[in-house]
Amino acid sequence: MHSTEADAVEAFKDWLAIYRRPQTVRNRVHYASRLRDWAIAHDRHLWSLTTRDLTQWLTTVGNHPATRKNAADAVRAFYRWAVEDGRTHVNPCETLPKITVPRGMPK
């Protein structure tokens, strides 16, 4: 594992903990870690992933739109933070399509 990638996810966690509820922190770090692991398994670096890579990764997180939206929202937050923190200059999430979750049917 690239130490800078592990360090990045840990630093993201520390930053989130200042502003977000513990469950939100766990959720976003979970998906950032899964993306990091996916990148490593595909011999890629987090900072070299493309929108196409993220789209491919999203197909691995689950079949339900709510799950994919949750994962996409988490990695969007991760890459926004990474750009602001100076870890990368490229945010592949900028062109990642928004995922809409169908409304439930009333009972």
Side-chain angles (χ1 to χ4, degrees), residues 50-103:
T50 64
T51 303
R52 174 177 261 158
D53 293 327
L54 294 180
T55 301
Q56 184 180 358
W57 172 74
L58 282 170
T59 66
T60 71
V61 300
N63 293 325
H64 297 286
T67 302
R68 289 184 180 176
K69 181 183 185 313
N70 198 358
D73 290 348
V75 297
R76 278 189 183 92
F78 176 71
Y79 276 103
R80 271 194 313 269
W81 166 81
V83 169
E84 290 174 11
D85 199 55
R87 293 174 187 264
T88 185
H89 299 291
V90 179
N91 181 349
C93 293
E94 286 180 349
T95 56
L96 190 66
K98 299 281 189 223
I99 298 172
T100 56
V101 178
R103 292 185 74 156

Side-chain angles (χ1 to χ4, degrees), residues 1-7 9 33 36-37 40-41 44-46:
M1 177 184 309
H2 302 105
S3 65
T4 57
E5 293 175 338
D7 295 344
V9 172
S33 297
R36 177 200 61 214
D37 296 345
I40 291 167
R44 303 293 303 274
H45 192 280
L46 278 174

